Amino acid sequence: MNISVDRKEFINALAIGGAMSGKNSTMPILCFTKIAVEGNLISISSFDLECAITTRIYSLSNDGNGEFCVNAGDLLKALKSLNSDTVEVDINVSQLSIKHKSGIMEMPIVEANAFPNISEGHKDNSHLFVLS
């Protein structure tokens, strides 16, 4: 799957949507942030078993739907190091590649099937924040 997205919008959405990742070590998957692509809508979510947050942005273009989990901190560092307005992201089975003027940055991704469904995981004593 290939995604083209505005770099600044992606950085802002990842900072918000990934805010809960890494705060709960009882489930290793919660160290990651889930990114789901459906049509031109990209949803970025994190969950710490008490609070969940999701934010959404639109891609400039993409060639498919899918979802994966990534370390939000690592992805943020990579995106902030670039100076282009648009970012091209290629996702395959085990890695995410960011194409830029000087080359390609790669980082591992994890399948999203182990990430809790936030609507199912939302309990009476937890908080769900959805930003659109």
Side-chain angles (χ1 to χ4, degrees), residues 34-108:
K34 179 180 173 182
I35 298 178
V37 179
E38 188 173 335
N40 282 347
L41 186 65
I42 301 172
S43 299
I44 302 170
S45 305
S46 59
F47 185 45
D48 71 356
L49 295 180
E50 291 181 17
C51 294
I53 190 163
T54 297
T55 189
R56 297 178 178 103
I57 60 171
Y58 289 94
S59 66
L60 301 174
S61 66
N62 67 39
D63 67 357
N65 297 330
E67 56 186 23
F68 59 93
C69 294
V70 65
N71 183 303
D74 291 346
L75 183 53
L76 273 171
K77 286 178 194 174
L79 292 171
K80 288 179 179 180
S81 72
L82 303 174
N83 59 8
S84 60
D85 293 334
T86 303
V87 177
E88 302 293 327
V89 181
D90 180 38
I91 298 100
N92 67 34
V93 176
S94 62
Q95 73 180 19
L96 174 146
S97 301
I98 301 171
K99 300 173 187 174
H100 55 93
K101 295 176 187 175
S102 303
I104 297 176
M105 288 188 255
E106 298 177 338
M107 62 189 59

Side-chain angles (χ1 to χ4, degrees), residues 8-21 33 44 46 53 55 72-73 76 79-80 131:
K8 289 181 182 176
E9 282 186 25
F10 198 21
I11 288 171
N12 291 337
L14 194 57
I16 293 168
M20 297 289 110
S21 64
T33 296
I44 302 170
S46 59
I53 190 163
T55 189
L76 273 171
L79 292 171
K80 288 179 179 180
L131 307 172

